[in-house]
Amino acid sequence: MALLEDKKMSKEIFTLALPAIFEMLLHTLVWTFDTGMVGRLTPEAISSVTLGAQIMFTVSNVFGALGVGTTAMISRNIGAMNTERAEKVAVQALSLGIIISMIVGSVGIIFSKNIFYRLVDDIEVVKLGTEYLRIVFIGAFFLIPTMIGNSILRGAGNTYIPMISAATANIFNIVGDYVLIFGKFGFPRMETKGAAIATGFGQVVGAIITFYYLFRKNPYIQVRIKNLFKFNGETLNSLVNLSFPAILEVFMNEGSRLVSSFWIAQLGTIAYASHSITVAAESISFMPGYGFAIAATTLVGQNLGSKNVDRAEKSVKASTYYAILLMGIVGMLFFIVPYPIMRLFSSDKDTVLLASKCLRIGAFEQIPTAIGMTLSGALKGAGDTKGPFRISLITNFLVRLPLIFLIVYAFKLPLIYIWIATNIQYLVEAILMYIRYKKGSWKEILIN
């Protein structure tokens, strides 16, 4: 019986994790294609698109973190067989997401020029970046609700529709980039404007797929259009209280990475380029951790909802094991063959050589990262969003930023020490997540 139960749980975990991993892979690939196609334009075009995309997606990710509380509440109610309550939570979350997206999109469109003026001095970059940002912020009207809609589906146990939504959106984005940037098939050559239109159109397509599934009758969860914007104070309060620490966590992590990149740029052009392409390779390695964290979030919430704490713990243990296994394999590849991997990202020998040294160091962060990401997902699924936020606060402000500042400005050490510092950060994070998880207070959290 135990073996049968283990097989059943493994199947549930992979059913949830694999589509989520593939979804993240698609997002990474579309970013790579975007960068490659825009990279054929002028340096000003590259700078404007890169910076504009970073601004828009950072803002969207911050507010999209409302989906963390949404997933926790919905998975708990689905586990308790309270579908009606889960649907009420879903409609509240989606309504709030639509309102936030309208505000964020409008503010972004209005203040795009001011944002670029404050960030860069190059007039051409300001001009191109303003045009790009205004268009992609129209896409934010759709992106934030889509992110929350996908969180609703994941909480209900459906990771396939978010994957299909992302796949279709990204295909339209890539094709649109090629056609509109370079003026193919009779379309005018629009360059950066074309890149923005393709990105925005892809987001609209993704939204249509997610909303179509949410609004129609399906085996998982349904949002009824007639109930949109009919807010319930108690439900809304619970949703915001659960999500707000996650929103702060994303904001802090994004801000920390941004500040770090400014500091690392002081090490020189080759060092910064090497760091950038190593981060690109590293981001791919995080996908298994992300996928199994999603599985842990959903299964912990559902099992706690059904009062099966033992099964919730087993799901976390199994998810963590699989994340360690897959990311450990990636870590071995990073350590054994870093140079060929980095050659995929650059043809400059000096950049690749330095990046391969960084990647070999990054190999040691894989297992701690797997543990930290999966346990963070488990805690959030139980409704403990404050714990991961506090741990991120500690690891960013007491570990990552101070170490990088000292390396760059005080000791003036080479780039490889930056990667040693990030290894320390991920190790500390894994230890603190494990301590938080083992305390077991997450088992007692009540969610309405």
Side-chain angles (χ1 to χ4, degrees), residues 74-91:
I74 288 174
S75 62
R76 185 70 69 96
N77 282 288
I78 290 291
M81 306 297 288
N82 192 346
T83 306
E84 183 180 351
R85 171 67 178 163
E87 290 180 354
K88 287 181 179 178
V89 172
V91 78

Side-chain angles (χ1 to χ4, degrees), residues 52-231:
Q54 185 176 10
I55 292 167
M56 200 281 288
F57 284 109
T58 296
V59 172
S60 297
N61 286 335
V62 168
F63 290 102
L66 178 66
V68 172
T70 305
T71 299
M73 292 180 72
I74 288 174
S75 62
R76 185 70 69 96
N77 282 288
I78 290 291
M81 306 297 288
N82 192 346
T83 306
E84 183 180 351
R85 171 67 178 163
E87 290 180 354
K88 287 181 179 178
V89 172
V91 78
Q92 299 278 299
L94 192 58
S95 299
L96 184 58
I98 292 171
I99 292 172
I100 290 172
S101 71
M102 297 300 289
I103 295 171
V104 169
S106 299
V107 170
I109 291 168
I110 293 169
F111 292 102
S112 290
K113 191 170 185 178
N114 302 71
I115 293 169
F116 263 90
Y117 261 125
R118 290 182 179 276
L119 293 175
V120 293
D121 297 323
D122 191 306
I123 299 299
E124 183 65 14
V125 174
V126 171
K127 177 187 172 184
L128 294 174
T130 300
E131 181 181 58
Y132 178 87
L133 199 56
R134 280 176 177 162
I135 294 171
V136 294
F137 262 119
I138 296 173
F141 291 141
F142 301 91
L143 180 59
I144 294 173
T146 303
M147 294 171 73
I148 294 168
N150 288 336
S151 296
I152 293 168
L153 291 168
R154 292 189 191 104
N158 185 341
T159 54
Y160 282 96
I161 295 301
M163 178 190 70
I164 293 169
S165 172
T168 310
N170 288 332
I171 289 170
F172 272 89
N173 192 345
I174 292 170
V175 173
D177 274 341
Y178 177 72
V179 170
L180 299 178
I181 290 174
F182 305 116
K184 302 295 183 179
F185 305 112
F187 284 87
R189 182 183 175 94
M190 299 185 189
E191 299 194 345
T192 56
K193 184 178 181 181
I197 293 171
T199 298
F201 186 65
Q203 289 160 7
V204 173
V205 170
I208 290 171
I209 292 171
T210 297
F211 294 157
Y212 173 76
Y213 192 85
L214 274 176
F215 292 148
R216 65 189 278 268
K217 190 173 182 180
N218 64 80
Y220 290 91
I221 192 168
Q222 182 181 9
V223 173
R224 302 178 195 280
I225 297 177
K226 65 179 181 180
N227 293 328
L228 285 172
F229 308 113
K230 294 180 181 178
F231 290 108

Side-chain angles (χ1 to χ4, degrees), residues 22-71:
F22 188 61
E23 180 188 347
M24 286 303 295
L25 178 62
L26 288 168
H27 287 309
T28 302
L29 287 176
V30 78
W31 174 254
T32 304
F33 276 109
D34 270 354
T35 304
M37 282 188 266
V38 173
R40 296 175 181 271
L41 305 177
T42 64
E44 290 81 7
I46 297 168
S47 298
S48 63
V49 170
T50 302
L51 185 56
Q54 185 176 10
I55 292 167
M56 200 281 288
F57 284 109
T58 296
V59 172
S60 297
N61 286 335
V62 168
F63 290 102
L66 178 66
V68 172
T70 305
T71 299

Side-chain angles (χ1 to χ4, degrees), residues 264 268-279 346 348 351 354-355 415:
I264 294 167
T269 303
I270 291 178
Y272 187 71
S274 300
H275 177 74
S276 298
I277 65 171
T278 311
V279 168
S346 175
D348 182 79
T351 300
L354 179 55
L415 180 66

Side-chain angles (χ1 to χ4, degrees), residues 3 5 27 90 110 149 177 186 194 228 262 290-291 400 404 413 439:
L3 181 61
E5 178 68 15
H27 287 309
I110 293 169
D177 274 341
L228 285 172
F262 289 150
Y290 172 81
R400 179 187 179 89
I404 292 177
L413 296 171
K439 280 184 177 179

Side-chain angles (χ1 to χ4, degrees), residues 71-72 75-76 296-298 300-301 304 376-384 447:
T71 299
S75 62
R76 185 70 69 96
T297 300
T298 300
V300 165
L304 289 181
S376 176
L379 291 170
K380 290 171 183 174
D384 182 9
I447 298 178

